[in-house]
Amino acid sequence: MSPPRSNTKDAILDTAESLLQERGFNAFSYQHISEQLGVKNAAIHYHFPNKAGLGVAVIERYNRNFHDWVARHQQRGTKPLAMLRGYFAIPLRFMRDGQKACPLGVLEAEFGAIPDPMRDAVRTLDADIRGFLSEALEQGRQQAVFQFNGTAQDKALLVVSALQGALQISRAAGTKAFMTVIRQIERDLGVEEQRDKISSQSLLVSR
Amino acid sequence: MSPPRSNTKDAILDTAESLLQERGFNAFSYQHISEQLGVKNAAIHYHFPNKAGLGVAVIERYNRNFHDWVARHQQRGTKPLAMLRGYFAIPLRFMRDGQKACPLGVLEAEFGAIPDPMRDAVRTLDADIRGFLSEALEQGRQQAVFQFNGTAQDKALLVVSALQGALQISRAAGTKAFMTVIRQIERDLGVEEQRDKISSQSLLVSR
DNA sequence: GTCTATAACGTGATAGAC
DNA sequence: GTCTATCACGTTATAGAC
């Protein structure tokens, strides 16, 4: 159902997504992409006639990938705590992969300066991520692996907000800040501190 | 010690700060400022020769204002809970004042695309804000008005992260999201739900 | 599908008159 | 301290050859 996918098109999306996370939407250009890709900017305009369309495509692909990830875990019957940690691992990878920010956070920070179609795509992505997390938290509470007050929706919103903020703050304050927030979130969910987390422990000691 | 402060200079800083919060650093220009101010862009270059300097000036003034605010409350002997809520009121004002984002969050989201001197200023601001909040939380814990696990520094980082993220998310998801996060933060600090918060209660009901 | 060439415009910034 | 005028450059985007 999708055979003639051009190789370049995906490469453009990869590069655009990466640049978006590094620089934000308004600070990367067709030139940046074309240079990194070794291709002329006209080629990019062939695949994505205008920048708004490219932006929307990046967000929608990101959301599709997220849905696939969720579906994969649901099929496997991944348990709530592993689900939560698998979710934490996503921004964690961003941070380790060159201090990237979360696309959602970047676009919401630039919300007043992005095209309307992108705003819609952002809203959808936000709703989908929170929907997923709400479910995981609610399941975990029912299985008594998480404890928290208020609705799962409210708690999910807090967790998503904290992760998004922490990832940004880590760009200024360093990796440790992000690990700290993850640890604090787990603490606040009543998840016991793990005994075998050597790296986390050393982080604790170092301040 | 500071008598000949040009009126225009402050007006430029006001406008730049506002534009920064609405559009981000890379999506506002000297033209935007000059149009809003009814002044030519050369006048702005007279006060701030380059954009990086303007950016730094905005951040540093913001930090000075924050310090003044803290000092004012410390002199008054404001109690921890009122301190916390006074702090919440800052981003709350941003949101109500045209869906503005927090300057810190915006700049950290754009961190890969802002000049070096601005990065330094951002790091300082971040450290100062968290320092203040850590103190307030620690005081509150000692007075048994807040309950939380972990160090006050860790909890402060979580709270700052959550507020920053929530303010951004609210641009896409609406005001309610921000109120929800504030309520959840208070819940997680063991602050009792207020009986007289009619608006908050109706928010709860509406979802 | 990718290229060269170019258009039309916004950007940060400077020189010099007033 | 603000203006007019202008510059060099980067931006998104298009036309048309290959």
Side-chain angles (χ1 to χ4, degrees):
Chain A
M1 219 101 215
S2 57
R5 263 288 148 74
S6 141
N7 196 358
T8 307
K9 191 163 188 171
D10 286 334
I12 292 169
L13 288 172
D14 290 341
T15 310
E17 183 175 303
S18 193
L19 283 165
L20 172 71
Q21 295 183 248
E22 286 161 8
R23 304 181 52 86
F25 184 73
N26 289 297
F28 84 81
S29 68
Y30 276 63
Q31 270 200 37
H32 287 123
I33 303 176
S34 63
E35 278 165 20
Q36 281 200 27
L37 232 55
V39 106
K40 300 300 168 184
N41 74 56
I44 302 170
H45 277 285
Y46 169 79
H47 292 284
F48 301 96
N50 60 69
K51 204 185 172 190
L54 172 59
V56 170
V58 167
I59 303 167
E60 289 182 343
R61 188 185 68 154
Y62 184 88
N63 201 2
R64 273 198 308 280
N65 289 340
F66 179 71
H67 274 96
D68 291 349
W69 178 86
V70 172
R72 232 161 24 237
H73 280 285
Q74 283 175 342
Q75 281 166 10
R76 274 187 227 157
T78 304
K79 291 181 181 136
L81 181 56
M83 207 78 155
L84 183 73
R85 288 186 172 157
Y87 173 66
F88 287 166
I90 298 173
L92 196 54
R93 245 175 280 130
F94 291 157
M95 209 198 42
R96 289 182 171 151
D97 187 17
Q99 301 258 75
K100 286 178 181 163
C102 145
L104 193 55
V106 170
L107 292 167
E108 284 167 347
E110 297 186 283
F111 210 67
I114 61 174
D116 248 353
M118 286 181 63
R119 290 189 196 176
D120 292 337
V122 166
R123 278 186 258 263
T124 302
L125 178 59
D126 170 58
D128 290 355
I129 291 177
R130 278 199 274 146
F132 151 77
L133 193 58
S134 298
E135 274 186 51
L137 290 177
E138 184 54 38
Q139 265 195 31
R141 173 149 69 175
Q142 281 168 12
Q143 298 176 20
V145 36
F146 300 146
Q147 284 101 43
F148 57 91
N149 295 319
T151 67
Q153 280 83 8
D154 286 7
K155 188 70 181 181
L157 178 55
L158 176 74
V159 170
V160 170
S161 297
L163 283 175
Q164 184 169 308
L167 191 60
Q168 292 168 359
I169 291 175
S170 298
R171 302 180 93 181
T175 302
K176 281 190 251 184
F178 188 76
M179 305 305 300
T180 297
V181 169
I182 288 186
R183 217 180 322 126
Q184 190 65 38
I185 291 173
E186 292 200 359
R187 245 186 229 127
D188 290 355
L189 283 170
V191 176
E192 295 127 53
E193 208 100 15
Q194 294 205 316
R195 353 118 204 80
D196 60 330
K197 270 201 195 161
I198 295 160
S199 62
S200 301
Q201 287 299 341
S202 62
L203 286 176
L204 261 172
V205 168
S206 72
R207 221 254 173 261
Chain B
M1 217 102 216
S2 54
R5 257 295 143 72
S6 143
N7 197 359
T8 307
K9 190 163 188 171
D10 286 334
I12 292 170
L13 287 172
D14 290 341
T15 310
E17 182 174 302
S18 193
L19 283 165
L20 173 70
Q21 294 183 249
E22 286 162 7
R23 305 181 50 87
F25 183 73
N26 290 296
F28 84 81
S29 68
Y30 277 63
Q31 269 200 36
H32 287 124
I33 301 175
S34 62
E35 280 166 19
Q36 281 200 28
L37 232 56
V39 104
K40 300 300 168 185
N41 75 56
I44 302 167
H45 277 284
Y46 168 78
H47 293 283
F48 302 96
N50 61 67
K51 205 184 171 190
L54 173 58
V56 170
V58 168
I59 303 167
E60 289 180 343
R61 189 185 67 155
Y62 183 88
N63 200 4
R64 272 198 309 278
N65 289 340
F66 179 71
H67 274 96
D68 291 349
W69 178 87
V70 172
R72 237 168 11 244
H73 280 285
Q74 283 176 344
Q75 281 165 10
R76 274 186 229 158
T78 305
K79 290 182 183 139
L81 182 56
M83 207 79 156
L84 184 73
R85 286 184 174 157
Y87 173 65
F88 288 166
I90 299 173
L92 197 55
R93 246 176 280 130
F94 291 156
M95 210 198 42
R96 288 182 172 149
D97 186 16
Q99 301 258 75
K100 285 177 181 165
C102 146
L104 193 55
V106 169
L107 292 166
E108 285 167 347
E110 297 185 284
F111 210 66
I114 60 173
D116 249 353
M118 287 182 63
R119 290 190 197 176
D120 291 338
V122 165
R123 276 186 260 264
T124 302
L125 178 58
D126 168 58
D128 290 356
I129 292 178
R130 278 197 273 145
F132 150 76
L133 192 59
S134 297
E135 274 186 52
L137 290 176
E138 185 55 36
Q139 266 195 33
R141 173 149 68 177
Q142 280 167 13
Q143 299 176 19
V145 35
F146 300 146
Q147 285 100 42
F148 56 91
N149 295 319
T151 67
Q153 281 83 7
D154 286 7
K155 188 70 180 180
L157 178 55
L158 176 75
V159 170
V160 171
S161 298
L163 283 176
Q164 184 169 309
L167 191 60
Q168 292 168 358
I169 291 175
S170 298
R171 304 180 92 181
T175 301
K176 280 190 253 181
F178 189 76
M179 304 306 299
T180 297
V181 168
I182 287 185
R183 216 179 324 123
Q184 189 65 38
I185 290 172
E186 292 200 359
R187 244 185 231 129
D188 290 354
L189 283 170
V191 177
E192 293 126 54
E193 207 98 18
Q194 294 206 316
R195 353 118 206 78
D196 59 331
K197 269 202 195 160
I198 294 159
S199 62
S200 300
Q201 287 299 341
S202 64
L203 286 177
L204 259 174
V205 167
S206 72
R207 219 262 171 254

